[in-house]
Amino acid sequence: MAGAERNKNFEATYLGNGYKKPSGKALVLLFALVAFSVLAYNVSSGRSAVKLISNKATTAKLDNVIVQNKSYPHLGSRSKKILVIGSSVFPPTLDPTANAAQAIDEVIDYNVLQHLVELAPNGTIIPILASKWTVSKNGMTYTFTIRPNVHFSNGDLLTPQDVVFSIDRVLHDSAYPYRDIFDVKSAHVASKNQVVVQLIEKSWSFLFDMAAYSNGVILDPATIKSLATDPIGTGPYVVDGEVNNYSISLGLNHRYFGALPNVGGVEFRYFTNPSAEDAALETGQINVIDSLATPTDASLFSSNHRKYVLISGLSNGKVQLTINNAVGPFRNKLVREALEYGIDKQQVMDIAAGGKSIVIGTDSVPADPYYINLANYYQYNISKARALLNQAGYPNGFSTTLTLPPYYYAQLAGPAIQEELAQIGITVHIKQVAWPLWLSQVFEGGDFDLTIIDHAEARDVGNYANTKYYWHFADAAQVAKQLASANAAPTKQGWIAGMHKILKEITADAVNVWLYVLPVMEVHDKGIIGLPKYGYSESFDLTHVSYGGKLAKNLIKEGYSPR
Amino acid sequence: MHKGWWQRKGKLLVSPMKQRSFGFKKASATTEYKSNLTFLLGATIVSVVLAIGLISLIWTPYNPISYFSKHILQGPTSAHLLGTDQEGRDELSRLMAGTWITLYAGFFATAIGIFFGTLIGIYVAMFRNVISEIIMRAGDILLAFPALLIATLLAARYGSSTVTAMAAVGIAFIPYVMRVTRVAATKTYNSDFVLIARSYGLGKLYIAAKHILPNIVSLVTLQTTLLFSVAILSEAGLSYLGLGTPPPSPAWGVMLSDSSNTILTNPLLVLWPTLAIALTILGFNLLADAMVHRLDKRSK
Amino acid sequence: MIRYLCHRLVYLTVSLVIASCIIFALIDILPGSPAEVILGTQATKSSVAVLNRHLGLDSSLYSQYLHWISGLTTLHLGNSYISGQPIAGEIASAAEVTFPLIGLAILLSLLIATILGVTGGISYRRKLGTIILGISQIGISFPSFVAAMLLIIIVGVKFQLLPTTGFSGWSQGIVGSLKSLVLPALALSIAEGCFLSRYIRSALIDVLNSNYYRTALAKGLTPVKALWRHGRRNIAVEVLTVSGMQIIALIVGAVIVESVFSLPGLGTLLITSIGNRDLSVIRDICFILSGFVLVMNLIVDIAYHIIDPRAFNDA
């Protein structure tokens, strides 16, 4: 039969002709192994070697990058260098209105597609396509004045009709990932250059939502079809091309209404292996790492001030131990409190974020207008945690499962929390799942005990008002009422006070264990200015990036890095 | 009982003719001795590894999964002989504890492959019918699904763990083991003494258990040894892709993939698990070498 | 020979069909849907359902399978659920990286295997032979991603000889692209080459100890000539015997190495597609990879028959 001759092959293979007649190799083999170890030791102590790379080699490599890069034909001169940015997750599509992935916003948002108002890196709201706006007394009607003489990169003039079209698209296209946080009732053109937006209810976060989420991008109606590959916007960059899973090139948009960035263009390059990404920066193949995957690698660059600049700032990401409030022991508030007391959040942050962040203790980050730090609400106290467990009827503890998504912070924080909970008698089994499984099992299915996740969405206290949200907060309906009354507050102070009340309440109820703010650590070659210092917007805002030069004072204040 | 084959000395294969080419020395009388040495070295390495694994069950210098945030990524010191990793855990303790997990993972995968592969192989050799033909073809198709593909699917379905990864590796082993076993079992099944047994009308199950299995047991042992090394390497590769053992566990593959994130700052953390894997595989391969030598001698 | 070929082709077709069924069934039971991934942590049950309907994921399994198979046979693979791009284009551009990478790795591993195997074989009783055996032993005992990282550090960062990451694309210049594939291919081929070298070595030793070789020497041929005339076929058979397994190992290795070197190949595409639950892309890549293995096994078998005609007698 057909397989017979192959069986012969396999017989030969596995009977192992290859292993015939071993000769006097035993000792020499061992010697070779030792020699190899010595060699590997020497070679791999390449830490010093890494630093020896001369600047010459680096710049030579850089020049190569520019000369080799032929994807910018419209550039008049090659004198301006292309900025190559190393990043980790390739955007699944280039259409931010079709997919919630942050990787899309990082490249496209603000850089290619712009909003009426945007977030400066420090989180303040700045006018972009709207030159100014007014709010009606009841806070339900916004009138935006559209900036004159703004063109899309294909030459189309930006009109109020385009703005209304973009807002209507969110209202009528159910696939928008952030549609649920869209408070708009209707929008219409009020005059030659004005758009009026009517809200469903008063919202203190409307402008912020329009700036932060893809709901706010202003699109050219004529180019909707090509949004997934070639989004056409008003920003300083245009998409020049992409290589799937490898790179995205942005060229300059010469029709941009503002001052163009002082670079020849930008290329985002994607790395799955953080060490390879670091090596690429050290060999000059990339100029910027937008977010260091491993906090420990910061030491690789921080010790070399002459070549690299290390920026570390905070983001909107709230890394939390999410507790399923509806299962087993966790239904009991005492048990959840025991978790709060039993986890040394500072210690967890030191490990998972390299000490580069702050402990928050509630669902709020410093960029929030209603920021409040409740890190000390529960002081780390093992004996108190044990006592609470005892009181709850678990004197011998219990065992539970911690489901970890495949993110580095979770991989680091998971074992740390496992160890800490072991000290108060809770046995934690770690289960590692891929992202889609996490989404379907934990997030959609609510089938989990504990999980560690970064809630990257800004100002998402509303989640605690959602009775169906995956942590199954029992008092969600009550929080919903409080949230509505806070939003309806006549003054900003009233709103903030209302939010503080909610935050204190969810913390007192120990709904989740809020650990720390996800830090953003950037490294870039010296001499590049204008990169965003914080991660408060999902965009990696490159509007003001420049090789050399000096950054205006107001931009530094808005959070663009002056060095 | 006869002595173990490695204990027998004396009978030597001497080449009948002086070899001229490439200045070979005359085939010496030391072949047997060297093969014994191979076995001894292999056995020593494997037993040392096993012993370390056993010791780690009772004692390690520190708790292998307890972390100390103040001790993150220290080089080798007198307190931590091999240094500490990115969570401040003692590398030596992890390496020791990892021995057992790694061996267990290798054993698990190999056991799946060997058990099912051998059973199916013997069945296919003894029964020539439609079912065995279908099984053979199914084996061919299974070859087209590398362990990686199976592991990815299993991990996507159940979450990645040692069990899913090693089940995948084990399943991918089955067609190979099946083929090799089939060939050897067919040979035995067609040999004279089995023919006689068959002519007595003995049951097939009896023949399989009493005649065929004992005759292929050395081959199966050899396969086990070879596949064991492959399984350990696969575990490391799958862990690197996040499809294997989850992180707090100190399996060597996990330690490797963890430390590969910090290879630029702390290359030594990569070296230790690499050495451990290499040494273990060396031990098992040496054992396999010695076994092949024995099989060769037998077939002559 | 022709009868044999026809037989094998029919057999290949049947295998491909069965493999496609298995792949379809396995991938269909994966938890999670593209819609859930697209909507991320903002999803609600109703929005997921709506999006799944948009994507055509609510039709019956049977019709989905037929749709897929007819697409495969006519090479109309449709668009990706996630990126909305034609799958054929995505796969083609990824294959442009992976298949040259595997090809280069095969060449390099043959080179390594020949050098180590032949020197090891002809000097198998001397210290040199033992040392070479030791080298090959070490070569097969560490994982390819470690080899890849060491290469990045040594060749890429320390000596800056070759680029450590990246692949500029064939249209950007063949030399540059080849250069960027050298390190990944080397990382892949070290283990495979060392593995193969052991087989070459043993085949060579068999030849050196054989009667026909001694006869050839007695006839007055030089050792080199005698080996070339009488030994090369045996060695080729030996190489072919393991090459079927090697190809599988290379595919698996390629996925890992692509991940280390950030190459935009099939492995990277497969991993990201699985991460995005881009079911149609996963299916197509799995099918291509299994098909590749089946076809390569067929080619190996045919080559085996050409080199060793005795095999026909068994068939």
Side-chain angles (χ1 to χ4, degrees), chain B residues 45 71 118 153 166 194 213 215 221 276 283 290:
Chain B
I45 294 176
H71 302 161
T118 311
L153 294 177
M166 291 299 101
V194 176
L213 208 54
N215 270 288
T221 320

Side-chain angles (χ1 to χ4, degrees), chain A residues 276 279, chain C residues 147-158 164 183 260-261:
Chain C
M149 303 255 208
L150 287 179
L151 283 175
I152 288 183
I153 292 185
I154 299 165
V155 185
V157 177
K158 191 167 184 188
T164 53
L183 277 192
V260 179
F261 285 92

Side-chain angles (χ1 to χ4, degrees), chain C residues 77-293:
Chain C
L77 301 182
N79 290 352
S80 147
Y81 291 135
I82 301 290
S83 68
Q85 301 291 302
I87 297 172
E90 287 191 352
I91 289 184
S93 66
E96 269 179 25
V97 180
T98 300
F99 289 115
L101 171 66
I102 292 179
L104 196 59
I106 291 177
L107 283 184
L108 281 176
S109 65
L110 281 179
L111 188 73
I112 294 173
T114 317
I115 294 174
L116 288 185
V118 171
T119 18
I122 57 183
S123 61
Y124 78 110
R125 298 225 169 142
R126 286 179 288 159
K127 283 278 176 300
L128 177 65
T130 316
I131 290 170
I132 286 174
L133 196 60
I135 291 174
S136 71
Q137 177 69 59
I138 289 163
I140 60 175
S141 33
F142 63 98
S144 56
F145 68 91
V146 177
M149 303 255 208
L150 287 179
L151 283 175
I152 288 183
I153 292 185
I154 299 165
V155 185
V157 177
K158 191 167 184 188
F159 296 111
Q160 306 226 339
L161 293 175
L162 289 164
T164 53
T165 58
F167 177 78
S168 42
W170 296 104
S171 56
Q172 308 279 324
I174 290 173
V175 180
S177 308
L178 273 180
K179 252 185 164 177
S180 57
L181 286 184
V182 169
L183 277 192
L186 199 61
L188 258 181
S189 53
I190 287 176
E192 298 306 316
C194 290
F195 185 71
L196 199 55
S197 78
R198 295 166 70 97
Y199 287 85
I200 293 183
R201 174 180 173 276
S202 76
L204 197 64
I205 293 172
D206 277 354
V207 174
L208 291 177
N209 286 334
S210 68
N211 290 329
Y212 59 82
Y213 174 73
R214 278 193 286 264
T215 316
L217 288 186
K219 279 193 331 197
L221 282 176
T222 63
V224 175
K225 269 190 181 163
L227 262 184
W228 181 245
R229 186 171 294 173
H230 299 286
R232 64 171 199 267
R233 197 172 272 254
N234 289 34
I235 292 167
V237 167
E238 201 66 38
V239 171
L240 271 180
T241 307
V242 276
S243 55
M245 276 189 304
Q246 288 241 288
I247 285 160
I248 296 175
L250 278 176
I251 290 178
V252 174
V255 174
I256 293 173
V257 164
E258 275 175 14
S259 152
V260 179
F261 285 92
S262 311
L263 291 174
L266 282 177
T268 314
L269 186 59
L270 177 67
I271 302 242
T272 49
S273 304
I274 288 176
N276 287 331
R277 280 295 180 277
D278 203 346
L279 300 178
S280 46
V281 180
I282 309 175
R283 260 179 224 142
D284 291 334
I285 296 177
C286 286
F287 184 75
I288 287 174
L289 291 184
S290 334
F292 182 68
V293 173

Side-chain angles (χ1 to χ4, degrees), chain B residues 15-28 34 136-137 140-141 143-149 152-154 156-158 176 179 233 236-238 240-241 243 253 256-257 260-261 263-264 267 270 274 277-279 281-282 285-286 289, chain C residues 11 14-15 18-19 22-23 26-27 29-31 121-126 137 140-143 145-146 149-150 153 157 198 208-209 213-214 217-218 221 223-224 227 245 248 251-252 255-256 259-260 270-271 274 277 282 286 289-290 293-294 297:
Chain B
S15 180
M17 189 176 151
K18 188 180 174 187
Q19 293 190 352
R20 302 180 321 184
S21 53
F22 299 113
F24 287 151
K25 286 180 204 158
K26 191 172 162 182
S28 67
K34 281 177 177 169
M136 284 305 292
R137 296 292 83 84
D140 283 352
I141 293 169
L143 277 182
F145 291 88
L148 177 88
L149 227 50
T152 323
L153 294 177
L154 281 181
R157 181 78 184 82
Y158 300 104
Y176 294 102
R179 283 157 172 275
L233 279 181
L238 291 176
Y240 177 73
L241 291 176
L243 300 170
L256 261 185
S257 66
S260 72
N261 287 328
I263 192 173
L264 289 170
V270 179
T274 307
I277 290 179
L279 200 69
I281 288 177
L282 175 71
N285 279 351
L286 288 177
D289 278 9
Chain C
Y11 176 43
V14 175
S15 302
I18 296 175
I22 296 175
I23 289 169
L26 282 178
I27 288 168
I29 57 168
L30 290 186
I122 57 183
S123 61
Y124 78 110
R125 298 225 169 142
R126 286 179 288 159
Q137 177 69 59
I140 60 175
S141 33
F142 63 98
F145 68 91
V146 177
M149 303 255 208
L150 287 179
I153 292 185
V157 177
R198 295 166 70 97
L208 291 177
N209 286 334
Y213 174 73
R214 278 193 286 264
L217 288 186
L221 282 176
V224 175
L227 262 184
M245 276 189 304
I248 296 175
I251 290 178
V252 174
V255 174
I256 293 173
S259 152
V260 179
L270 177 67
I271 302 242
I274 288 176
R277 280 295 180 277
I282 309 175
C286 286
L289 291 184
S290 334
V293 173
L294 288 172
N297 274 336

Side-chain angles (χ1 to χ4, degrees), chain A residues 43-297:
Chain A
V43 168
S44 58
S45 52
R47 197 172 166 179
S48 55
V50 168
K51 287 183 198 149
L52 287 177
I53 303 161
S54 68
N55 281 318
K56 246 185 204 168
T58 313
T59 42
K61 284 272 161 70
L62 261 181
D63 291 338
N64 278 339
V65 170
I66 300 152
V67 175
Q68 277 171 12
N69 206 319
K70 291 173 186 150
S71 55
Y72 304 96
H74 60 281
L75 283 180
S77 71
R78 282 190 183 162
S79 59
K80 283 185 183 172
K81 286 184 198 163
I82 280 161
L83 187 71
V84 188
I85 300 167
S87 189
S88 53
V89 182
F90 188 84
T93 160
L94 297 186
D95 178 1
T97 68
N99 191 309
Q102 192 188 344
I104 307 168
D105 301 313
E106 181 185 338
V107 179
I108 302 297
D109 219 19
Y110 301 2
N111 295 325
V112 177
L113 299 177
Q114 293 188 306
H115 302 225
L116 291 174
V117 288
E118 291 181 0
L119 294 180
N122 67 357
T124 53
I125 292 168
I126 48 173
I128 299 289
L129 295 180
S131 50
K132 60 179 188 188
W133 61 89
T134 55
V135 192
S136 70
K137 272 214 177 107
N138 64 0
M140 304 268 281
T141 311
Y142 282 73
T143 307
F144 293 97
T145 305
I146 308 302
R147 189 184 288 270
N149 294 324
V150 173
H151 290 85
F152 287 98
S153 58
N154 61 358
D156 293 351
L157 185 73
L158 172 74
T159 62
Q161 281 79 10
D162 296 339
V163 176
V164 172
F165 168 84
S166 302
I167 293 173
D168 279 348
R169 193 165 177 262
V170 190
L171 288 173
H172 300 129
D173 187 341
S174 55
Y176 261 80
Y178 294 105
R179 194 172 175 276
D180 286 350
I181 41 173
F182 200 57
D183 297 324
V184 175
K185 190 168 153 203
S186 67
H188 64 270
V189 179
S191 72
K192 215 168 59 188
N193 61 347
Q194 282 189 323
V195 171
V196 173
V197 178
Q198 197 72 37
L199 302 192
I200 299 167
E201 56 187 5
K202 186 171 181 173
S203 164
W204 286 97
S205 281
F206 170 68
L207 279 179
F208 176 84
D209 291 346
M210 288 295 278
Y213 297 112
S214 58
N215 296 341
V217 292
I218 303 302
L219 306 164
D220 181 354
T223 62
I224 292 302
K225 285 233 162 72
S226 63
L227 214 48
T229 47
D230 188 16
I232 299 292
T234 50
Y237 297 93
V238 289
V239 176
D240 254 356
E242 57 171 324
V243 179
N244 201 7
N245 286 323
Y246 178 64
S247 72
I248 294 175
S249 310
L250 301 182
L252 295 178
N253 171 14
H254 291 282
R255 296 196 171 94
Y256 177 53
F257 62 85
L260 275 178
N262 182 27
V263 291
V266 172
E267 184 182 349
F268 281 87
R269 284 267 295 274
Y270 294 90
F271 295 83
T272 37
N273 178 305
S275 292
E277 192 176 3
D278 296 344
L281 183 65
E282 295 196 80
T283 54
Q285 294 175 77
I286 58 174
N287 316 115
V288 182
I289 293 178
D290 67 350
S291 172
L292 277 180
T294 62
T296 44
D297 277 6

